[in-house]
Amino acid sequence: MGIGLVAKEDMITQEEYMDMYIAVGIAIEVYNILGRAMAEKVYQEAYFIEAMKRGVPVEREKPLRLIYKDVILTQTFTPDFYYRGLVMEFKSVEEVMPVHRAQLLNYLRFAHQRRGILFNFGETNLHTERYLYLPTEDRFVMLNKDNINLYVSH
């Protein structure tokens, strides 16, 4: 695809984008209350409580099937949270490293999921990275304020 041209099947709906927005909002509340650098499991538990209080039915550690060359593997991927096709991974480290991103992106690709968020609660401010998998190009895009309008259908 040329610059600025996104295949229709690679775009997400406004509702799918709002799911990401809601997920980040929950994480911000958890971070504002708990602060930084606690164990991942503490943030996961607090996130689940906050999501339930808000009526957001996230699934905690839902096993997702991995697919290799059209064959479903017996091994599964278990993200920290799953919500309406959105995969969420939590970290509590000083800095997000390429291996953290690679974990999320590989799972998105091989579990045939399109949207993912990497949260890091270990930095001075909550760090979030929102990703969209573009299956027609077999690549990932990190969504931000400058490119979001290219990938969300209106």
Side-chain angles (χ1 to χ4, degrees), residues 6-67:
V6 178
K8 185 175 182 176
E9 54 271 23
D10 283 340
M11 297 183 79
I12 59 174
T13 66
Q14 189 70 37
E15 183 179 21
E16 289 171 318
Y17 176 72
M18 287 307 299
D19 290 344
M20 297 175 93
Y21 184 84
I22 289 166
V24 170
I26 294 168
I28 289 170
E29 178 67 10
V30 168
Y31 186 85
N32 286 342
I33 300 297
L34 295 179
R36 68 183 276 216
M38 298 181 92
E40 283 177 34
K41 292 290 185 190
V42 173
Y43 294 111
Q44 291 167 359
E45 186 173 352
Y47 189 94
F48 185 76
I49 291 167
E50 186 65 30
M52 293 302 105
K53 285 179 73 173
R54 294 181 184 206
V56 179
V58 297
E59 297 177 75
R60 193 170 181 186
E61 299 181 342
K62 175 184 178 167
L64 298 177
R65 293 278 182 202
L66 300 174
I67 300 169

Side-chain angles (χ1 to χ4, degrees), residues 3 14 24 32 41 68 71 81 85 108 112 127 139 147:
I3 294 175
Q14 189 70 37
V24 170
N32 286 342
K41 292 290 185 190
Y68 174 78
V71 176
F81 289 97
L108 287 174
H112 289 224
H127 179 88
R139 72 180 180 96
N147 69 8

